[in-house]
Amino acid sequence: MKKEVKKKQSTADEISAYLERNQTTLAVIALIIGTIFSLVLFDTKVSLSGDDCDYVIAADAFWKYLTYPGSHGALYPIVISPFVGLFGVKIILLKFLSVIFMIAAIWFFYKSFEKHVPAIILIPALALVCLNPHVLFFASYTYSEPLFMLFQSLVFFFFIKYFVQQETAGSLREDWKKYLILVAAIVCAGFTRTIGFCVTGVLMLYFVIRGDWKRLLVFSAFFAVIIGLLYTVVPVNSSYTFGGLLAKNVYNPEAGQEDFAGLCKRVAENSNVYLGGFLFKYLGFRSYSPEPLEPKPMLSVLAYIMFAVSLIAVFKKNKALLLAGLYAGVMMFVTFFLMHTIWSQDRLTMVYYPFTVMFLLGGLYYLLKIKSIAHLKPVYFIALIALFLGTGFHLYKKAGQNLPVIQQNLMGNDLYGLTADWENFIKMSRWADKNLPKDAAIVSRKPSISYIYTGRNFVGIFNVPQEPIDEVKQTLAEENDKYVHLVVQVRNFIVGDMSPYMQYYFVSDNAEKLAVGDSISSAAVMYKIDRTQYNDSFLAGIKEAGLSYTTDYEGFIKRLEDNRNIKYRIISPDHLLSILKEQNVKYLLLPRIRLYTYQKSQFFINTIHHYVSFISMKYPNSFKVIHTIGKDEICELSEYIGP
């Protein structure tokens, strides 16, 4: 009798079988390692953007005054508000909550796909997420991303459990709780980050692809009713309107709305930033440095090809991977469409990385199962090795940089690791808090950061207000009978003895010049002079300085409006001063915060310096420096002593 010969498994099959048998154990190990590295990469300081501080301030206001957090995702400040209310602003405690949210998010991500994605795909994807320093970075910051990722994972956990795993729909009487739980998870995600509501469209698209019309209609009805009821009692998040997102310039609505070509350009540019840049950085194939990455359009094209091929490869092979790919692709494309290019922040798409890396690995895995190219199966393992090497290198570099910093921070030097500009700014915030009257209003370029490090409210100045040209024209027309409006060219100075008559300052922000009389200049001053006082003595200093001038203000403004290439600003010193007086501002922090965060140069964010200088043009000696901190990249404290 012939003995049956057992066919020997290939190495790939053996690895796959091992992962299948031990996947829960391996997942737990990956999470433990992720937790350890999240602590190694822990940062006790707040971010330099100040957005994370805003969440904490919103949480404090909600706890104390039940003020609804409307400027950011509302749910995150509400969730952390009890901790702020009971323990005070303890940043390290709040950061540990982010660690918990992140680890829970990764765990539920694993549980969502545990029985639906082969372990040869899921476990490597999970490990890559747990080792990724760019993901773990957010585990030690008070941003909303970790909590959003938790709700995002819960949405998939419930959707796959109730609607993917169960092939056919039951009666509404049996299933209404399932719809309610799913919609509740979506609502939590949406109220943490507004874009979270877009997952609804992805789930609807999945039902359409599957031809599951009954559950599509029931789910849509549940979502519409619950959202409709919620928004009758909850304030609408007003931080960014849809019209503002589709504007050419979100900070200048007068520029109008983007046309189709402009939106296509926006999507292309954002694709270069988020796909060609951040995605390949997460994968370990681009520089780990926090400095801005050079755009590489070919990498963006490659990413789109990878997504398309993966979608085709998994379409009929794995429903869960199809769902993950649809979600990552749709959510990122919506981000590219809505987000202005000036907002390029890795956190906008980092939250989708777990789904993205799993989907791309799944696409490669199923592609290599095609018989005609099955001999290329080792390519999958080569890709895994490359991903782990790149991710491991980034982790090694990040951990090496952070360990000495966190060591100093925990020993009491809480500002160690900051560049001199930020260190001096925070030190001055603390000095001002301790040495100035408790009721004094103090201006800060980053009031939320000043608050976190002092517990004191500061007044924020984020820009120098401009005067709309239509309002300027109306004001000048109303004053024309009583006043002469003299426009004078500015070179290196303005005529000092005429400063009391200064009304507006016109400045060009690009290479185009302002036409003043027969000359052109990058700036001009308009003086308002009573007609009964106007005489040649007013022009003596101007002529002596060789400056061009005109009293034809209408012609000056018309030329300004007709030149479509020029980007100009109109500043009113009196308006700027009135804002300070309305807020009872007495002191101003004047830091030299770097324009390029990771590069020291002569350029710094000079918004408040400009604010003060425009007022000083009309009211000289209105401010005096009363304290300075630092020898390099100094921060000054200025006191308002003017009229």
Side-chain angles (χ1 to χ4, degrees):
M1 191 173 176
K2 220 174 186 182
K3 284 188 179 180
E4 187 177 343
V5 180
K6 189 175 181 181
K7 187 178 179 182
K8 187 178 179 181
Q9 282 188 318
S10 67
T11 303
D13 291 335
E14 288 179 354
I15 294 173
S16 181
Y18 175 81
L19 293 177
E20 289 290 349
R21 290 194 307 269
N22 301 281
Q23 64 171 325
T24 300
T25 301
L26 293 171
V28 171
I29 292 172
L31 255 72
I32 292 173
I33 293 173
T35 303
I36 292 171
F37 276 111
S38 69
L39 298 178
V40 170
L41 298 172
F42 198 83
D43 193 341
T44 63
K45 302 177 293 299
V46 300
S47 77
L48 302 184
S49 71
D51 288 356
D52 52 341
C53 301
D54 291 335
Y55 286 117
V56 177
I57 293 171
D60 189 42
F62 179 79
W63 183 262
K64 290 178 178 176
Y65 314 111
L66 283 180
T67 303
Y68 183 77
S71 60
H72 290 283
L75 190 55
Y76 176 62
I78 292 173
V79 168
I80 66 172
S81 64
F83 297 91
V84 176
L86 296 174
F87 303 105
V89 181
K90 305 294 183 184
I91 290 297
I92 293 180
L93 170 63
L94 298 175
K95 286 170 176 276
F96 271 116
L97 290 178
S98 293
V99 174
I100 294 170
F101 293 150
M102 181 67 79
I103 298 304
I106 297 173
W107 174 250
F108 277 103
F109 168 78
Y110 165 72
K111 295 301 289 183
S112 298
F113 297 99
E114 177 185 16
K115 298 176 182 178
H116 306 279
V117 172
I120 192 70
I121 300 169
L122 180 58
I123 295 302
L126 188 72
L128 287 168
V129 173
C130 290
L131 293 173
N132 195 297
H134 310 292
V135 174
L136 297 179
F137 166 86
F138 290 93
S140 66
Y141 272 91
T142 53
Y143 284 112
S144 63
E145 275 66 25
L147 184 62
F148 175 79
M149 290 178 73
L150 174 56
F151 288 131
Q152 171 184 254
S153 294
L154 288 173
V155 169
F156 276 82
F157 177 78
F158 291 122
F159 185 79
I160 291 175
K161 180 179 180 180
Y162 295 146
F163 301 100
V164 175
Q165 190 170 315
Q166 298 179 16
E167 291 282 353
T168 57
S171 68
L172 184 58
R173 187 174 181 179
E174 295 172 335
D175 289 350
W176 69 270
K177 289 182 181 179
K178 299 175 183 178
Y179 290 103
L180 188 60
I181 291 171
L182 175 62
V183 172
I186 293 171
V187 167
C188 289
F191 275 94
T192 304
R193 284 181 64 183
T194 307
I195 198 171
F197 286 120
C198 292
V199 70
T200 308
V202 177
L203 303 185
M204 290 179 178
L205 178 60
Y206 177 83
F207 283 137
V208 170
I209 291 173
R210 301 294 301 174
D212 198 340
W213 307 111
K214 178 181 177 181
R215 290 200 284 198
L216 170 65
L217 292 173
V218 176
F219 169 68
S220 303
F222 260 81
F223 179 77
V225 170
I226 291 174
I227 286 296
L229 291 173
L230 275 173
Y231 274 115
T232 60
V233 295
V234 176
V236 177
N237 189 330
S238 60
S239 53
Y240 303 111
T241 63
F242 187 72
L245 293 172
L246 295 184
K248 290 183 178 179
N249 185 336
V250 69
Y251 301 114
N252 181 20
E254 295 179 358
Q257 299 292 102
E258 281 283 17
D259 55 18
F260 179 75
L263 290 173
C264 290
K265 181 182 178 184
R266 178 191 293 185
V267 170
E269 291 178 351
N270 278 331
S271 296
N272 290 337
V273 170
Y274 294 103
L275 293 181
F278 292 137
L279 176 58
F280 279 89
K281 182 177 184 176
Y282 298 152
L283 294 171
F285 298 144
R286 296 204 65 178
S287 172
Y288 69 92
S289 170
E291 295 185 30
L293 295 169
E294 178 189 354
K296 293 186 180 294
M298 285 306 298
L299 289 181
S300 306
V301 174
L302 177 60
Y304 276 109
I305 293 172
M306 289 162 56
F307 263 87
V309 171
S310 296
L311 194 63
I312 295 169
V314 306
F315 192 81
K316 292 184 178 180
K317 301 293 185 181
N318 191 296
K319 294 178 289 183
L321 280 175
L322 173 63
L323 180 62
L326 290 174
Y327 177 70
V330 169
M331 296 298 276
M332 285 197 284
F333 189 81
V334 170
T335 300
F336 304 161
F337 182 80
L338 292 179
M339 295 295 105
H340 290 262
T341 53
I342 58 174
W343 291 339
S344 57
Q345 301 178 56
D346 57 350
R347 61 194 180 110
L348 295 180
T349 54
M350 179 280 300
V351 292
Y352 313 123
Y353 178 70
F355 298 90
T356 303
V357 70
M358 182 181 70
F359 171 66
L360 293 178
L361 284 176
L364 180 60
Y365 175 80
Y366 281 106
L367 180 68
L368 295 173
K369 287 181 77 69
I370 298 174
K371 286 185 179 181
S372 59
I373 56 173
H375 61 283
L376 297 177
K377 203 177 278 187
V379 170
Y380 181 78
F381 295 96
I382 294 171
L384 284 181
I385 292 170
L387 287 168
F388 277 103
L389 285 176
T391 302
F393 176 74
H394 283 204
L395 180 62
Y396 170 76
K397 298 297 290 188
K398 291 288 185 182
Q401 292 170 354
N402 196 63
L403 278 173
V405 175
I406 190 173
Q407 184 179 19
Q408 288 291 323
N409 294 158
L410 295 176
M411 289 172 62
N413 186 358
D414 64 337
L415 301 184
Y416 186 84
L418 293 174
T419 51
D421 54 334
W422 283 102
E423 183 176 354
N424 293 332
F425 165 70
I426 294 170
K427 285 181 176 178
M428 183 62 83
S429 298
R430 287 173 167 172
W431 190 94
D433 174 51
K434 291 179 180 178
N435 294 278
L436 298 180
K438 293 302 178 184
D439 60 346
I442 310 169
V443 164
S444 172
R445 179 67 177 81
K446 291 285 187 177
S448 57
I449 295 179
S450 296
Y451 172 83
I452 292 298
Y453 282 100
T454 64
R456 175 176 182 152
N457 289 316
F458 285 69
V459 177
I461 288 183
F462 309 106
N463 56 58
V464 178
Q466 305 176 39
E467 304 301 309
I469 196 164
D470 290 336
E471 292 183 15
V472 169
K473 287 161 59 178
Q474 182 179 346
T475 298
L476 296 178
E478 292 171 353
E479 296 173 343
N480 192 46
D481 291 339
K482 188 176 180 180
Y483 297 97
V484 173
H485 296 96
L486 178 66
V487 184
V488 181
Q489 172 193 20
V490 171
R491 285 207 291 265
N492 296 326
F493 62 92
I494 59 176
V495 183
D497 58 356
M498 289 184 63
S499 59
Y501 302 97
M502 183 177 178
Q503 185 175 15
Y504 296 115
Y505 189 86
F506 297 79
V507 60
S508 169
D509 285 333
N510 59 2
E512 289 291 317
K513 304 293 185 180
L514 308 173
V516 183
D518 297 327
S519 302
I520 58 173
S521 176
S522 60
V525 177
M526 179 179 287
Y527 298 104
K528 184 173 91 173
I529 307 164
D530 193 297
R531 288 189 178 275
T532 60
Q533 298 178 346
Y534 181 74
N535 52 49
D536 288 344
S537 64
F538 279 96
L539 302 177
I542 297 171
K543 291 178 178 179
E544 184 179 344
L547 299 174
S548 182
Y549 64 91
T550 180
T551 57
D552 180 17
Y553 76 85
E554 291 178 319
F556 168 75
I557 289 179
K558 187 175 187 307
R559 287 192 293 273
L560 195 63
E561 289 184 297
D562 289 346
N563 186 352
R564 296 185 177 181
N565 295 321
I566 193 170
K567 293 182 179 179
Y568 62 87
R569 288 180 291 151
I570 307 174
I571 311 298
S572 166
D574 286 310
H575 182 204
L576 302 187
L577 184 57
S578 70
I579 293 173
L580 294 186
K581 290 184 174 182
E582 285 171 6
Q583 300 184 77
N584 297 313
V585 168
K586 184 70 174 175
Y587 303 96
L588 304 94
L589 303 185
L590 299 174
R592 299 197 176 191
I593 296 173
R594 296 177 185 179
L595 185 60
Y596 308 108
T597 304
Y598 304 102
Q599 178 184 350
K600 180 183 174 183
S601 69
Q602 61 180 321
F603 303 106
F604 60 90
I605 300 173
N606 53 15
T607 305
I608 301 177
H609 293 78
H610 278 174
Y611 199 104
V612 167
S613 67
F614 283 127
I615 295 174
S616 299
M617 286 179 184
K618 182 166 185 176
Y619 303 105
N621 305 315
S622 293
F623 301 89
K624 71 173 182 179
V625 175
I626 61 173
H627 192 64
T628 302
I629 289 181
K631 295 180 180 179
D632 189 26
E633 298 181 292
I634 64 172
C635 182
E636 298 172 320
L637 178 64
S638 181
E639 180 181 8
Y640 171 65
I641 57 173

